[in-house]
Amino acid sequence: MNERARRTVPADPAAAPADPEAIAASGRLVARILEHIEAGGGWIPFDQFMRHALYEPGLGYYAAKPAKIGAHGDFVTAPELSPLFARALAAQVAQALLELPPRVLEFGAGSGALASELIAQLGRLGVELESYAIVEVSADLKTQQQARLRDRRIRWLDAPPERFEGVIIANEVLDVMPVKLFVGRGGSMLERGVQARGGGLSMAERPAGDELLEAVKAIEADAGPLPDGYVSEVGLMARAWTATLGHWLHRGLALLIDYGFPRSEYYHPQRAMGTLMCHFRHRAHADPLWLPGLNDITAHVDFTAMAQAARSAGLQVLGYTSQARFLLDCGLLELLGEAPGGPNTAAALRLLSEAEMGELLKVLAVGRGVRGPLRGFASGDRSHRLL
Ligand SMILES: C[S@@+](CC[C@H](N)C(=O)[O-])C[C@H]1O[C@@H](n2cnc3c(N)ncnc32)[C@H](O)[C@@H]1O
């Protein structure tokens, strides 16, 4: 498929070598992963590898690597690019809070940029927040958030609350949840994983287990048969995460913003290599085994699966659209008019551009007890594409 890589331009990762200390840290992570492989009988599924590479305590990318997000990191997200993103999002949050307790819960708050600007803009809109809480799995990013947001009244939670009423936000969180990799070959479905080879790591395949077989069968039932040799991924963890919202989101709205597509586009026969992508110093590459712990690893989101998971957990799908349509409906151009200027205009163009964030990122709204219609989906709702 002719499509720009997520966030960054494809490039040879070797063109930007890491420093010796970082390479040594990655070596320690590889040694730890080799222990997991040995404990797993010589092979671990890719989702387990991805969990270690990103979240292994003290060594994983989100657990340990300093300077991940922003100009000096590996990738840029919408809130890092411009405060206009948070200001536009605030319009949707403010509308929802008209009928909900004024509480916001953010997952994976990164550097804290979104929280900082969202709280400020809600204040300008006259919304008095009762609470703003963050659930963050990265101890390192939590420290960064606490430093940046120390003058705000924010609570950090180790896990979602047992019951919540208000607005939930997760920007680019689902795409860093571990995925399973599959490949269909000669009538058999195989699961890709990682094995030890020559003191390092290499990819290896095993017959897929029942859970993965079921998931691929459901994909083929919706998207049509996948061609021989087709490689892709299934985000079972992201689905489970979305389904759990149904247990504890008692009344409110969840805005899930991420790179992704409806199922029929995701598993299009032409997207034969899946969407797995790694990011290192603003370069994108496709080798997750290259310097684990120093690279972000992501996969796009199957938004049909997220909508199904939400519905089966008793939530309603309240809207689905591109980031560009969502931001425009939330008044991005008016906000740009209030703060014109070169950097803001350039950032707004990137947020809206069809070839970049505007179309590749989507916004899915799910919830319970919210009347709607929601402002952010007024002119571009594509929920019907998720059926
Ligand atoms: C790609 S970054 C996005 C950061 C931020 N939302 C932004 O847009 O700049 C992913 C974030 O999600 C966090 N994360 C990953 N899995 C999570 C989970 N299950 N619960 C909460 N945070 C999570 C990471 O630690 C990181 O802060």
Side-chain angles (χ1 to χ4, degrees):
M1 303 224 88
N2 182 17
E3 184 175 276
R4 290 283 301 267
R6 173 182 189 264
R7 296 180 185 136
T8 50
V9 288
D12 174 9
D19 60 70
E21 210 175 295
I23 291 174
S26 176
R28 288 195 292 279
L29 177 58
V30 169
R32 183 82 58 83
I33 292 172
L34 287 169
E35 288 167 16
H36 290 301
I37 290 174
E38 199 180 330
W43 181 88
I44 53 173
F46 185 81
D47 54 342
Q48 187 184 337
F49 164 80
M50 186 166 164
R51 180 159 54 79
H52 297 312
L54 296 183
Y55 305 107
E56 182 76 21
L59 292 169
Y61 180 80
Y62 282 103
K65 191 184 176 191
K68 296 174 256 293
I69 311 174
H72 301 292
D74 299 305
F75 59 88
V76 166
T77 58
E80 294 292 330
L81 195 62
S82 168
L84 290 173
F85 176 80
R87 288 180 202 160
L89 185 62
Q92 177 59 86
V93 174
Q95 185 209 14
L97 291 181
L98 287 174
E99 52 171 324
L100 292 168
R103 300 177 197 139
V104 175
L105 176 58
E106 184 182 354
F107 280 83
S111 71
L114 178 59
S116 173
E117 191 57 36
L118 187 65
I119 293 170
Q121 184 71 5
L122 287 171
R124 284 177 217 120
L125 295 173
V127 177
E128 265 191 50
L129 282 181
E130 188 185 296
S131 68
Y132 195 108
I134 292 176
V135 178
E136 174 57 70
V137 292
S138 161
D140 169 54
L141 287 173
K142 184 173 161 184
T143 307
Q144 284 185 40
Q145 292 157 17
Q146 287 175 333
R148 181 173 192 156
L149 302 166
R150 63 180 170 274
D151 54 346
R152 312 266 191 209
R153 279 185 303 124
I154 293 184
R155 281 183 310 135
W156 276 265
L157 309 175
D158 292 332
E162 277 178 17
R163 182 188 156 99
F164 180 75
E165 296 190 15
V167 173
I168 294 166
I169 297 166
N171 188 61
E172 291 203 39
V173 176
L174 295 173
D175 70 343
V176 291
M177 293 193 180
V179 291
K180 282 196 171 294
L181 295 188
F182 67 85
V183 52
R185 212 175 273 128
S188 304
M189 191 51 64
L190 304 171
E191 175 163 11
R192 281 211 165 148
V194 179
Q195 66 179 9
R197 189 153 149 219
L201 306 169
S202 75
M203 289 287 202
E205 290 157 7
R206 297 271 167 96
D210 288 347
E211 190 183 25
L212 184 56
L213 283 176
E214 276 303 305
V216 179
K217 220 160 88 187
I219 288 167
E220 290 194 301
D222 288 345
L226 301 172
D228 199 50
Y230 191 91
V231 180
S232 195
E233 58 281 323
V234 182
L236 295 179
M237 189 171 163
R239 287 185 205 186
W241 185 90
T242 304
T244 63
L245 283 179
H247 301 309
W248 56 268
L249 178 56
H250 187 69
R251 188 162 67 98
L253 167 70
L255 294 165
L256 312 180
I257 308 165
D258 237 303
Y259 288 85
F261 323 95
R263 178 164 284 179
S264 55
E265 278 174 55
Y266 195 121
Y267 298 102
H268 191 284
Q270 281 177 19
R271 202 185 304 284
M273 296 305 290
T275 69
L276 197 75
M277 191 61 74
C278 309
H279 301 270
F280 178 73
R281 294 196 188 159
H282 298 273
R283 289 172 160 80
H285 67 94
D287 182 4
L289 303 186
W290 185 73
L291 293 181
L294 304 189
N295 291 266
D296 191 18
I297 307 175
T298 70
H300 283 24
V301 174
D302 170 358
F303 277 107
T304 302
M306 298 310 122
Q308 283 172 354
R311 282 198 195 97
S312 57
L315 300 176
Q316 238 187 310
V317 172
L318 298 161
Y320 169 71
T321 193
S322 66
Q323 172 173 290
R325 287 265 37 115
F326 178 82
L327 293 178
L328 288 168
D329 280 342
C330 287
L332 185 88
L333 293 182
E334 293 75 7
L335 290 163
L336 179 61
E338 288 166 18
N344 278 340
T345 307
L349 284 175
R350 238 182 117 184
L351 292 174
L352 298 176
S353 160
E354 281 212 353
E356 291 196 56
M357 292 176 155
E359 183 57 37
L360 291 178
L361 281 150
K362 308 293 190 316
V363 184
L364 174 68
V366 299
R368 175 178 279 141
V370 176
R371 270 196 306 275
L374 298 176
R375 173 177 178 163
F377 305 88
S379 73
D381 188 24
R382 306 178 189 170
S383 301
H384 58 280
R385 296 205 198 162
L386 299 178
L387 296 174

